[in-house]
């Protein structure tokens, strides 16, 4: 019987089945992982991040260009533009879009047009993978047009001329320490620019530009455009005219008296706390804040090198930018006697007729204090002691007031803490004695303005409280903030911080301060046609290595019968024929008052004595020969302005009998062509 052949069975049947099962499981796992990952990715793209690829596509197809917002403008109270934004252009490049054969010509042309380094420009443009590089910031229209013209002539792609803005200060070297300045990105770095940076900064706009597959700009723009929104405008309490008067007078005083440690001037509206002018001289041009203005210091810095020069330059710049009026403390000297006097009157410790004795010096607990310049005033009233600025008198006033009352009024007048003015950099606290640390000697010294240090702003704010009925006002420099639609965003109203002294005390103080100017040490602060109250100060700088270092100061208030403005002038370390505050700072304050009061609508009213001293009546010189007429006018302290070559005077202006200020020029017409009636109209 024939046997049938069967294929041999595997000798490892169990092992083969196990391997097949493992293969199926592995294949299943791979399939689950693949499809699971795909599903997870689809879930992410469609549910969690549906716009992701759309954004990436847009980024490849569009270029967004920032349209910078103009920074808000700053105006003075009388409408002068102090800070503005000017349109300019920034030149950038996208080297990958620039044809290879144009790299070198572009580097040469752009370096010449923009006045930038050729080698550095060539290196930037040679990076063919680069999408963006900066060539020069903020060029004017002429340079931007020159770049645009070269690109058009050479069909150059990839050179971007982007609209930008830059901060400018139209008044030049004016109000530097107040306004401050911005950095290259138009962010405030100092002064008002820093304090109100958020309000002045606008919202940038955006332009979307289409790009082709190679990343080059397409010839048309998308219509999508987000307009830039300019920042808010700020109007200050500062009046540009009064600021000019203050800066001019301060600068002249610094030069004339060789002031070593800068001068400070503040003009404040007595009833509101509004700052009408504030200056530290010398200061700087906010258009070029990093250039050292003081030539001597600049030469010293330039003589150095390396890290030493960098540190010296930074120190000099910081000192130049510093607003000394709010950032520094000083010994107020005899100006502080106004505070001691007001406090003593308010508590009833003294009256205006209280009597004191000045023997030229006084001993307090074993320490001798002398009267200024060794004067011996003898028996004197409080009014007389203030007028002549007698130190022994006010040591006795302080003793009668007592240390606790003295310290309480010192605090009430706001002399311990910062005023809270809306400017950056104000010093936080002054240097003073508390009652528990004050002995008889310290009280004596503090009573006449030594041993305590306050800021210049604190001092004038306290003086305003002395004369305005006793109200301590909040000082401020911003009047209002408006948006681009001229809607008022913020309006600053006067704020009374405290009632420091009684109105009756304030009335007495006004009378006493007028006596300082009419009969005392403040005669140089007098202004013809106005009643002025004031106080002189000549303080020793106790922490100075120079024992002769002094601060010459003067505070003036006018019209004292109804105070409107106060002026504080301080010359730190003058080197002149004297260091007296009345002699050096008094005339500066008087000049500022004389020019400012009429601008505020406060007209002079002259006494008979002032009328005779400052004014004269124009004589009649018609028909006279010109030389004789000029001689006659000189007898009346007038000058002649001769018109024409005629022999005799045909007519004159002003007419005979007119009252004019001495020193005025009288026009003498020798041709018959002058029409006085037209001039009078």
């Amino acid at each position: 019987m024939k046997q049938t052949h069967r294929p041999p069975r595997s000798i490892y049947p169990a092992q083969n089945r196990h391997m097949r099962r493992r293969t199926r499981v592995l294949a299943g796992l791979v399939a689950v992982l693949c499809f699971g990952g795909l599903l997870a990715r689809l879930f992410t793209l469609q549910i969690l991040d549906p716009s992701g690829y759309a954004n990436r596509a847009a980024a490849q197809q569009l270029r967004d260009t920032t349209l910078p917002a103009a920074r808000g403008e700053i105006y003075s109270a009388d409408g002068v533009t102090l800070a503005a934004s000017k349109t300019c252009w920034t030149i950038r490049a996208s080297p990958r879009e620039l044809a290879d054969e144009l790299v070198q010509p572009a580097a040469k042309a752009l370096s010449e047009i923009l006045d930038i380094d050729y080698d550095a420009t060539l290196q930037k443009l040679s990076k063919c993978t680069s999408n963006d590089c900066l060539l020069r910031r903020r060029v004017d229209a002429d340079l931007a047009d020159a770049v645009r013209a070269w690109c058009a002539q050479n069909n150059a792609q990839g050179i971007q001329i982007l609209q930008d803005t830059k901060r400018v200060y139209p008044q030049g070297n004016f109000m530097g320490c107040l306004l401050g300045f911005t950095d290259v990105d138009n962010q405030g770095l100092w002064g008002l620019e820093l304090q109100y940076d958020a309000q002045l900064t606008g919202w940038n706009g955006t332009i979307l530009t289409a790009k082709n597959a190679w990343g080059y700009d397409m010839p048309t723009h998308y219509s999508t455009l987000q307009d830039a929104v300019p920042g808010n405008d700020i109007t200050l309490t500062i009046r540009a005219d009064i600021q000019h008067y203050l800066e001019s007078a301060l600068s002249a005083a610094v030069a004339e008296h060789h002031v070593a440690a800068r001068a400070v001037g503040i003009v404040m509206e007595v009833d509101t706390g509004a700052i009408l002018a504030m200056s530290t001289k010398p200061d700087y041009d906010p258009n070029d804040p990093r250039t050292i203005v003081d030539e001597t210091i600049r030469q010293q810095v330039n003589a150095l090198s390396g890290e030493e020069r960098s540190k010296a330059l930074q120190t000099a710049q910081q000192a130049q930018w510093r607003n000394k009026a709010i950032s520094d403390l000083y010994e107020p000297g005899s100006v502080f006697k106004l505070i001691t006097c007001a406090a003593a009157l308010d508590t009833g410790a003294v009256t205006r007729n209280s009597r004191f004795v000045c023997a030229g010096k006084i001993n307090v607990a074993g320490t001798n204090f002398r009267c200024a310049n060794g004067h011996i005033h003898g028996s004197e009233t409080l009014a007389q002691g203030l007028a002549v600025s007698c130190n022994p008198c006010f040591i006795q006033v302080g003793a009668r007031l007592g240390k606790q009352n003295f310290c309480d009024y010192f605090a009430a007048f706001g002399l311990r803490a910062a005023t809270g003015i809306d400017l950056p950099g104000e010093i936080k606290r002054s240097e003073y004695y508390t009652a528990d640390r004050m002995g008889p000697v310290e009280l004596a010294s503090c009573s006449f303005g030594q041993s305590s240090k306050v800021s210049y702003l604190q001092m004038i704010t306290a003086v305003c409280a002395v004369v305005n009925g006793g109200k301590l006002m909040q000082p401020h420099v911003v009047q209002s903030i408006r948006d681009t639609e001229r809607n008022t965003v913020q309006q600053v109203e006067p704020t009374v911080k405290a009632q420091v002294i009684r109105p009756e005390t304030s009335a007495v103080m006004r009378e006493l301060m007028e006596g300082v100017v009419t009969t005392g040490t403040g005669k140089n602060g007098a202004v013809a046609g106005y009643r002025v109250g004031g106080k002189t100060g000549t303080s020793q700088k106790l922490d100075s290595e120079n024992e002769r270092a002094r601060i010459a100061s003067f505070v003036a208030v006018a019209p004292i019968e109804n105070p409107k403005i106060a002026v504080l002038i301080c010359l730190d370390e003058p080197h002149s024929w004297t260091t007296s505050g009345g002699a050096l700072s008094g005339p500066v304050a008087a000049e500022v008052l004389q020019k400012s009061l009429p601008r505020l609508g406060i007209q002079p009213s002259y006494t008979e004595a002032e009328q005779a001293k400052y004014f004269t009546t124009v004589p009649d010189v018609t028909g006279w020969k010109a030389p004789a007429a000029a001689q006659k006018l000189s007898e009346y302290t007038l000058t002649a302005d001769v018109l024409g070559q005629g022999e005799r005077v045909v007519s004159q202006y002003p007419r005979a009998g007119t009252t004019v200020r001495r020193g005025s020029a009288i026009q003498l017409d020798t041709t018959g062509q002058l029409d006085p009636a037209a001039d009078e109209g």
Side-chain angles (χ1 to χ4, degrees):
M1 180 176 187
K2 185 177 179 179
Q3 293 183 347
T4 303
H5 177 74
R6 296 181 178 180
R9 292 190 176 188
S10 171
I11 58 175
Y12 307 107
Q15 185 175 4
N16 289 339
R17 286 195 301 271
H18 183 65
M19 289 180 64
R20 285 195 298 272
R21 189 180 300 114
R22 288 176 59 188
T23 301
R24 293 190 189 101
V25 171
L26 182 60
L29 288 174
V30 170
V32 169
L33 289 175
C34 290
F35 283 103
L38 181 59
L39 289 173
R41 183 60 177 160
L42 288 173
F43 179 80
T44 300
L45 294 177
Q46 294 184 0
I47 305 300
L48 299 182
D49 187 21
S51 60
Y53 271 95
N55 291 337
R56 291 178 62 183
Q60 294 174 356
Q61 299 164 14
L62 302 173
R63 170 185 287 144
D64 63 324
T65 302
T66 298
L67 187 62
R71 195 170 173 83
E73 300 193 341
I74 301 177
Y75 299 96
S76 68
D78 46 344
V80 176
T81 302
L82 303 173
S85 291
K86 181 180 179 181
T87 299
C88 59
W89 288 264
T90 292
I91 313 300
R92 308 187 74 92
S94 177
R96 65 177 293 180
E97 300 178 20
L98 186 64
D100 293 343
E101 63 272 15
L102 286 179
V103 170
Q104 189 169 359
K108 183 176 185 301
L110 294 177
S111 62
E112 292 174 356
I113 294 172
L114 301 176
D115 191 24
I116 54 180
D117 183 71
Y118 167 75
D119 291 334
T121 305
L122 179 61
Q123 184 178 12
K124 290 179 180 179
L125 297 182
S126 298
K127 295 180 179 179
C128 59
T129 59
S130 174
N131 280 323
D132 179 67
C133 65
L134 174 66
L135 298 181
R136 184 174 168 182
R137 286 179 178 270
R138 297 175 177 165
V139 303
D140 58 24
D142 291 340
L143 292 183
D145 288 343
V147 173
R148 192 177 289 109
W150 185 88
C151 292
Q153 291 171 3
N154 295 272
N155 194 27
Q157 300 292 323
I159 305 301
Q160 302 163 22
I161 305 170
L162 307 176
Q163 183 176 323
D164 203 346
T165 64
K166 66 178 179 180
R167 201 60 161 166
V168 294
Y169 304 90
Q171 306 305 314
N173 190 348
F174 184 62
M175 283 180 61
C177 286
L178 266 179
L179 292 173
F181 51 92
T182 62
D183 61 13
V184 294
D185 295 317
N186 276 339
Q187 292 182 329
L189 287 185
W190 211 267
L192 283 162
E193 295 280 23
L194 173 61
Q195 182 75 16
Y196 286 91
D197 185 61
Q199 291 87 341
L200 290 166
T201 300
W203 296 90
N204 291 337
T206 304
I207 298 175
L208 295 180
T209 307
K211 296 189 294 183
N212 61 22
W214 293 272
Y216 300 157
D217 283 352
M218 294 177 67
T220 59
H221 290 125
Y222 275 72
S223 60
T224 304
L225 168 65
Q226 181 181 347
D227 291 327
V229 179
N232 294 330
D233 294 335
I234 292 179
T235 299
L236 306 181
T237 59
I238 304 290
R239 287 183 56 117
D241 50 1
I242 297 178
Q243 182 75 22
H244 273 295
Y245 302 149
L246 178 64
E247 291 199 15
S248 176
L250 268 188
S251 295
V254 167
E256 180 181 357
H257 302 304
H258 308 286
V259 178
R262 308 173 85 194
V264 170
I266 306 174
V267 182
M268 179 181 283
E269 201 168 57
V270 170
D271 286 335
T272 67
I275 304 296
L276 301 182
M278 178 185 287
S279 180
T280 301
K281 287 293 183 181
D283 55 358
Y284 62 94
D285 185 344
N287 292 296
D288 185 22
R290 288 174 173 78
T291 296
I292 304 302
V293 175
D294 189 297
E295 185 175 348
T296 301
I297 296 177
R298 186 170 65 249
Q299 291 176 352
Q300 292 172 350
V301 171
N302 291 337
L304 304 174
S305 60
E307 185 176 348
E308 188 178 13
R309 181 184 183 280
S310 297
K311 290 182 179 179
L313 177 61
Q314 185 177 23
T315 299
Q317 289 173 336
Q318 294 282 341
Q320 176 173 277
W321 301 336
R322 190 176 182 86
N323 186 353
K324 187 169 181 170
I326 65 172
S327 298
D328 287 14
L329 300 178
Y330 82 116
E331 294 90 347
S334 292
V335 169
F336 187 84
K337 289 172 181 172
L338 296 176
I339 307 303
T340 304
C341 187
L345 285 169
D346 203 57
T347 59
V350 300
T351 69
R352 62 182 302 162
N353 296 316
S354 295
R355 302 202 69 87
F356 306 90
V357 176
C358 171
K361 61 181 179 180
I362 187 172
N363 186 281
V364 178
T367 299
N368 283 320
F369 294 92
R370 69 183 184 89
C371 197
N373 300 318
H375 288 303
I376 300 176
H377 297 115
S379 177
E380 59 189 347
T381 65
L382 177 67
Q384 292 169 333
L386 184 66
V388 298
S389 199
C390 177
N391 289 347
C393 171
F394 273 85
I395 290 175
Q396 295 169 69
V397 172
R400 295 190 191 183
L401 177 62
K403 65 178 184 179
Q404 188 61 57
N405 280 333
F406 179 91
C407 293
D408 289 345
Y409 275 89
F410 189 97
F413 273 107
L415 296 172
R416 284 188 177 183
T419 67
I421 191 172
D422 48 343
L423 285 170
E426 184 181 17
I427 194 163
K428 298 302 181 184
R429 65 191 303 269
S430 53
E431 296 178 10
Y432 55 90
Y433 283 97
T434 53
D436 60 314
R437 296 189 301 114
M438 181 178 280
V441 173
E442 291 76 20
L443 176 60
S445 181
C446 290
S447 295
F448 64 90
Q450 295 288 168
S451 301
S452 299
K453 296 179 75 172
V454 298
S455 77
Y456 301 87
L457 181 62
Q458 284 176 318
M459 193 69 245
I460 192 172
T461 305
V463 170
C464 286
V466 168
V467 299
N468 71 4
K471 302 184 296 293
L472 184 68
M473 304 303 298
Q474 172 64 56
H476 59 283
V477 296
V478 167
Q479 181 184 110
S480 64
I481 301 176
R482 289 186 171 88
D483 61 20
T484 55
E485 302 297 325
R486 304 303 296 167
N487 298 314
T488 300
V489 175
Q490 180 181 349
Q491 184 73 40
V492 180
E493 301 294 341
T495 301
V496 179
K497 298 173 70 175
Q499 182 72 37
V500 185
I501 57 176
R502 293 175 290 111
E504 297 81 3
T505 303
S506 180
V508 174
M509 287 301 303
R510 292 195 293 270
E511 294 177 12
L512 298 184
M513 289 176 66
E514 185 175 17
V516 173
V517 176
T518 56
T519 65
T521 58
K523 293 178 181 178
N524 286 327
V527 180
Y530 298 97
R531 291 172 58 187
V532 179
K535 186 66 192 78
T536 58
T538 308
S539 55
Q540 181 181 2
K541 298 180 70 172
L542 298 178
D543 55 357
S544 173
E545 296 180 357
N546 180 6
E547 293 183 358
R548 295 180 176 272
R550 297 291 187 273
I551 299 174
S553 60
F554 190 88
V555 66
V557 178
I560 193 60
E561 71 276 15
N562 184 22
K564 297 300 182 185
I565 62 172
V567 179
L568 176 65
I569 302 295
C570 298
L571 308 181
D572 195 344
E573 295 190 30
H575 296 274
S576 191
W577 56 276
T578 182
T579 57
S580 166
L584 302 187
S585 299
V588 180
E591 179 182 342
V592 174
L593 283 176
Q594 182 182 18
K595 294 179 177 179
S596 300
L597 289 169
R599 302 290 293 187
L600 295 171
I602 306 169
Q603 299 304 321
S605 177
Y606 300 98
T607 64
E608 290 185 7
E610 289 174 333
Q611 193 78 19
K613 180 178 180 180
Y614 296 107
F615 294 89
T616 187
T617 302
V618 179
D620 186 358
V621 294
T622 55
W624 291 42
K625 289 185 177 181
Q631 177 60 37
K632 182 67 175 177
L633 290 175
S634 69
E635 296 174 6
Y636 287 75
T637 60
L638 299 171
T639 61
D641 182 12
V642 181
L643 304 178
Q645 301 298 319
E647 182 180 0
R648 293 182 180 276
V649 177
V650 178
S651 62
Q652 67 180 66
Y653 180 79
R655 296 178 185 275
T658 304
T659 300
V660 297
R661 185 176 286 274
R662 294 183 184 275
S664 299
I666 307 302
Q667 291 183 329
L668 304 179
D669 180 27
T670 63
T671 66
Q673 297 178 357
L674 178 65
D675 183 5
D679 289 334
E680 290 173 357

